[in-house]
Amino acid sequence: MTKKNVIAIDGPVAAGKSIIGQYVATRLGFRYFDTGVIYRSVAWIVHRQNIDESDKLQIELVAAQMSLDLDTSNTNAVIVNGVIVSDELKTQEVTRLSSIVAALPGVRNSMTSLQRNIIDREDVVMVGRDIGSIIAPDAVLKIYLTASVESRARRRFGDLSDQGLDISFSQVLQETISRDERDSSRTDSPLVIPHDAISIDNSEMTIEETVDVILEHYRI
Ligand code: C5P
């Protein structure tokens, strides 16, 4: 079996990884896979089943038993334990819980093979926090995408306001800082800049400009 190409895009909250990753994948004819969805799915189950967020063993158990399929008729939906979910994964509570469950080694362990199966099957643009460092250390291109915390919080605030959420900018800024802090300080697979990654700060760049820079690096 020929080795598949992986483009790893890692970075902090709201750096634009998803939209930029989708454009890069479309331009190259690669599959796009957002690994945040899998941690959000675990968080969604924890929330739905009212599991105490400090009950590590129970959370690791639901992660180990979780079944996750992509709904091929709708790119934004996934099927978690047989239930089709999409917007449910983006609520404030699921977002907050996702970085808590993602810090548990047992949860990350269960999710590793799922991600590696995708990498083995097809060319993919995979976005997340530990793709270049842990999941696909042999990726043909590793991008670390970031932007100032203010611009990232501003983008997220815009998204949440568009969804009709009544939330203040300072609340969004605080949540962004807390989530960054949890993702970077956890012991297992923290968010790091892989030594062989290209760092791009897109605070002052458009989506199209960022996509073009990534594609230029891919072609080198
Ligand atoms: O990227 P997104 O915001 O959807 O990710 C949700 C949460 O999942 C992040 O805050 C992070 O804690 C976790 N995550 C992770 N590793 C990944 C992708 C996401 O820990 N590869």
Side-chain angles (χ1 to χ4, degrees):
M1 194 169 66
T2 49
K3 214 166 166 329
K4 303 296 179 194
N5 290 306
V6 181
I7 296 180
I9 304 182
D10 293 299
V13 173
K17 301 183 296 293
S18 302
I19 185 77
I20 289 162
Q22 284 176 52
Y23 279 126
V24 171
T26 305
R27 296 263 294 267
L28 294 172
F30 283 21
R31 176 168 179 189
Y32 165 75
F33 189 77
D34 175 1
T35 58
V37 161
I38 57 186
Y39 297 98
R40 285 174 183 270
S41 298
V42 176
W44 176 75
I45 299 175
V46 169
H47 181 56
R48 189 175 153 104
Q49 295 187 359
N50 258 321
I51 296 170
D52 187 326
E53 66 187 59
S54 61
D55 190 345
K56 297 180 182 172
L57 282 181
Q58 189 58 28
I59 296 174
E60 290 181 340
L61 185 69
V62 295
Q65 293 173 341
M66 177 174 83
S67 87
L68 187 110
D69 289 301
L70 298 181
D71 178 357
T72 45
S73 63
N74 176 352
T75 50
N76 290 319
V78 289
I79 305 165
V80 185
N81 291 350
V83 182
I84 299 179
V85 289
S86 59
D87 291 346
E88 294 89 329
L89 299 184
K90 299 202 181 108
T91 64
Q92 286 289 91
E93 183 54 7
V94 167
T95 299
R96 187 189 66 81
L97 269 176
S98 64
S99 67
I100 294 173
V101 304
L104 301 178
V107 170
R108 300 204 78 82
N109 207 16
S110 301
M111 299 308 139
T112 300
S113 52
L114 192 155
Q115 295 168 81
R116 296 235 168 99
N117 283 342
I118 294 172
I119 288 172
D120 288 343
R121 274 205 311 263
E122 54 201 317
D123 293 335
V124 61
V125 174
M126 195 170 257
V127 313
R129 303 291 190 286
D130 61 343
I131 309 306
S133 55
I134 306 284
I135 302 297
D138 296 337
V140 284
L141 178 63
K142 299 181 187 178
I143 300 291
Y144 184 82
L145 195 61
T146 190
S148 70
V149 69
E150 289 77 15
S151 21
R152 293 187 287 112
R154 218 176 302 121
R155 290 172 193 170
R156 219 177 129 57
F157 178 64
D159 288 348
L160 294 173
S161 305
D162 288 349
Q163 287 168 30
L165 242 95
D166 182 18
I167 189 165
S168 71
F169 176 74
S170 61
Q171 242 176 306
V172 175
L173 180 64
Q174 199 42 55
E175 278 174 19
T176 305
I177 293 169
S178 316
R179 213 143 60 93
D180 282 351
E181 163 68 17
R182 270 201 294 271
D183 290 346
S184 307
S185 63
R186 66 182 176 224
T187 329
D188 194 359
S189 313
L191 171 66
V192 290
I193 308 179
H195 69 91
D196 46 356
I198 314 278
S199 276
I200 302 174
D201 182 324
N202 69 3
S203 310
E204 306 293 331
M205 290 164 76
T206 64
I207 290 170
E208 290 73 20
E209 284 166 347
T210 314
V211 170
D212 285 342
V213 171
I214 294 175
L215 289 173
E216 272 164 37
H217 281 290
Y218 179 69
R219 291 191 184 109
I220 291 171

